[in-house]
Amino acid sequence: PCACLPAWLRARGAPRRPAVAPWRYALWALADVEANYLVVWAYQYTSVASVMLLDCFAIPCVMMLSRALLGARYDRGHVAACLVCVVGLALTV
């Protein structure tokens, strides 16, 4: 099935070149792997509750920073999910 995917994409008229350079995907993948490694590493030096607090707090912080620095726009679903993180943060404390 995977062998016929490129032919099927060409038949559909899909662009041959990705819109984003492949090295950028590799860079984001590396950042994701390193972030997950650091979270797992944090479990060795602190309690599970502390790591959960930092993890729950990261999402609202990133949303606020991306809004302030990058001008990102979020709809109600994103804000509701962020509030779930904040409620989880409050319940963990």
Side-chain angles (χ1 to χ4, degrees):
C2 293
C4 34
L5 183 62
W8 179 73
L9 288 174
R10 278 194 299 273
R12 276 190 45 210
R16 290 181 167 217
R17 229 179 258 187
V20 179
W23 65 268
R24 288 190 181 192
Y25 286 115
L27 189 63
W28 283 115
L30 180 67
D32 183 49
V33 168
E34 288 298 319
N36 288 325
Y37 174 76
L38 291 175
V39 167
V40 171
W41 192 32
Y43 281 111
Q44 295 177 357
Y45 297 101
T46 188
S47 67
V48 174
S50 297
V51 175
M52 287 177 62
L53 286 172
L54 287 173
D55 194 30
C56 288
F57 190 59
I59 294 172
C61 286
V62 168
M63 286 181 70
M64 287 187 287
L65 284 172
S66 65
R67 175 74 175 131
L69 299 176
L70 302 173
R73 306 286 293 190
Y74 298 106
D75 58 6
R76 289 182 182 155
H78 294 115
V79 175
C82 184
L83 288 176
V84 168
C85 291
V86 173
V87 167
L89 182 66
L91 291 176
T92 306
V93 173

